């Protein structure tokens, strides 16, 4: 039976998991609890999709995947490409590269089961395009030094959805807020080596998970809820919300870069390759997704 959704989702009695890994012999769903890892084989397969049900799990479960078979490395703990939430940060350790032996799990974030309400309503203003005025901004930048936003909230999703920032936007006369990328991204190793950090968010590793560094909330479910409330507050003020999404590359970088997610499931399928099997790189970011 073909699974209805990719990723890991809470259902009655447990979770359903499904991932695309066409060249894998098998795929393990790895659950982490207080540092301990339990592995569950996804025993069902339809075409390229490995899927299965694991009982006794629910929202809040921390997990990753290990992919087995030729060209795959089970020592690499992989992020779920369809994760709604990601907890923790990447530590640029040699085990993120398969040529180094050892388990990468201690050095990579965890995907977290956080399901959004499929029946939620958003009450979009639906401003006609002819009347639309778009204001592009950065979630952290717009409120980081705003004197009327409480210091504990500055630079967060909660601040962007707060009265002082909404009043500012309405005073400008705009009808839509376009947010620079808010999907979970990485601070590249080369930047950290220079004492720098990624500001613009253009190195995503989980396209469906909001970046936790922009949240006042400290739990995975809290981060998701904060983003949802921000959107509802902006909509209630008559402001559309537009997301700038990065769908042409990921933070996995060059062909010899780290194995974080997509590369470990299906390198040849997810990324564009030249005839000599090197990466296409049309934007100078290290890789190009094969859309």
């Amino acid at each position: 039976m073909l699974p209805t959704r990719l990723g890991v989702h809470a259902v009655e009695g447990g979770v359903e998991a499904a991932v695309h890994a066409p060249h894998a012999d098998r795929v393990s769903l790895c659950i982490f609890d207080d540092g301990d890892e339990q592995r569950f084989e996804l025993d069902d397969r339809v075409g390229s999709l490995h899927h299965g049900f694991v009982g006794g799990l629910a929202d809040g479960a921390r997990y990753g995947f290990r992919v087995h078979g030729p060209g795959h490395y089970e020592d690499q703990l992989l992020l779920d490409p369809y994760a709604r939430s990601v907890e923790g940060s990447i530590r640029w350790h040699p085990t993120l590269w398969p040529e180094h032996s050892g388990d990468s799990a201690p050095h990579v974030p965890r995907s977290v089961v956080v399901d959004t309400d499929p029946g939620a309503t958003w009450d979009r203003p639906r401003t006609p395009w002819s009347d639309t005025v778009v204001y592009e901004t950065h979630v952290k930048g717009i409120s980081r030094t705003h004197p009327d936003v409480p210091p504990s909230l500055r630079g967060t999703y909660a601040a962007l959805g707060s009265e002082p920032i909404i009043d500012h936007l309405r005073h400008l006369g705009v009808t839509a807020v376009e947010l620079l990328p808010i999907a979970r991204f990485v601070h590249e190793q080369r930047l950290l080596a220079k004492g720098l950090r990624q500001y613009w968010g253009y190195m995503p590793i989980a396209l469906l998970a909001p970046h936790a560094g922009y949240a006042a909330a400290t739990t995975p479910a809290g981060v998701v809820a904060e983003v949802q409330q921000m959107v509802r507050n902006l909509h209630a003020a008559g402001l559309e919300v537009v997301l700038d999404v990065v769908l042409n590359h990921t933070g996995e970088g060059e062909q010899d870069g780290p194995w974080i997610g997509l590369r470990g499931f299906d390198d040849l399928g997810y990324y564009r390759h030249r005839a000599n099997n090197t990466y296409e790189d049309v934007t100078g970011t290290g890789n190009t997704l094969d859309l």
Side-chain angles (χ1 to χ4, degrees):
M1 182 177 180
L2 190 68
T4 58
R5 296 179 292 182
L6 288 167
V8 180
H9 301 269
V11 296
E12 185 176 354
V15 299
E16 289 181 342
V19 293
H20 162 81
H23 308 294
D25 292 337
R26 55 192 177 90
V27 175
S28 303
L29 172 64
C30 306
I31 304 298
F32 291 85
D33 184 11
D34 292 330
D36 295 326
E37 177 182 351
Q38 283 185 288
R39 300 187 187 185
F40 301 90
E41 299 301 313
L42 300 184
D43 294 326
D44 299 319
R45 180 168 186 174
V46 178
S48 70
L49 301 181
H50 299 252
H51 62 102
F53 171 83
V54 179
L57 300 176
D59 276 4
R62 275 69 174 169
Y63 71 96
F65 288 100
R66 296 185 189 272
V67 182
H68 311 264
H72 299 285
Y73 301 88
E74 61 184 88
D75 280 347
Q76 310 303 125
L77 184 73
L78 303 175
L79 279 175
D80 178 3
Y82 294 88
R84 267 70 172 174
S85 184
V86 173
E87 182 179 61
S89 301
I90 285 180
R91 291 197 304 142
W92 295 105
H93 189 269
T95 54
L96 270 67
W97 284 261
E99 61 266 26
H100 295 275
S101 60
D103 188 357
S104 70
H107 312 290
V108 295
R110 305 290 184 254
S111 306
V112 184
V113 179
V114 175
D115 273 350
T116 56
D117 180 5
T121 57
W122 297 97
D123 297 324
R124 273 185 53 204
R126 300 189 183 278
T127 308
W129 279 116
S130 58
D131 298 328
T132 293
V133 180
V134 180
Y135 182 89
E136 183 184 52
T137 191
H138 187 285
V139 169
K140 178 168 281 191
I142 193 172
S143 67
R144 191 67 183 89
T145 60
H146 198 295
D148 296 331
V149 174
S152 62
L153 294 183
R154 291 175 188 171
T156 67
Y157 302 113
L160 179 53
S162 69
E163 187 174 346
I165 300 301
I166 288 176
D167 286 347
H168 169 66
L169 293 168
R170 295 179 74 175
H171 177 73
L172 292 175
V174 303
T175 67
V177 181
E178 179 185 347
L179 303 182
L180 286 160
I182 67 168
R184 187 58 185 262
F185 63 86
V186 292
H187 302 287
E188 303 99 294
Q189 187 180 29
R190 63 179 181 83
L191 291 182
L192 294 176
K194 298 177 181 180
L196 302 173
R197 291 167 66 84
Q198 167 71 237
Y199 179 72
W200 300 109
Y202 282 104
M203 282 296 176
I205 55 170
L207 292 169
L208 301 182
H211 189 67
Y214 296 157
T218 57
T219 66
V223 174
V224 173
E226 186 176 329
V227 174
Q228 292 174 326
Q229 190 60 53
M230 171 195 73
V231 173
R232 289 192 173 97
N233 291 354
L234 291 165
H235 282 177
L239 295 164
E240 298 263 22
V241 179
V242 182
L243 298 183
D244 177 347
V245 292
V246 183
L247 293 178
N248 64 346
H249 68 275
T250 76
E252 287 189 299
E254 293 82 5
Q255 194 157 13
D256 59 354
W259 287 48
I260 300 171
L262 296 181
R263 179 173 286 137
F265 288 100
D266 182 16
D267 181 52
L268 290 173
Y270 278 120
Y271 294 111
R272 286 171 54 180
H273 292 71
R274 301 185 182 93
N276 64 359
N277 205 31
T278 59
Y279 271 12
E280 291 273 9
D281 180 10
V282 301
T283 55
T285 52
N287 59 55
T288 303
L289 285 170
D290 189 350
L291 300 182

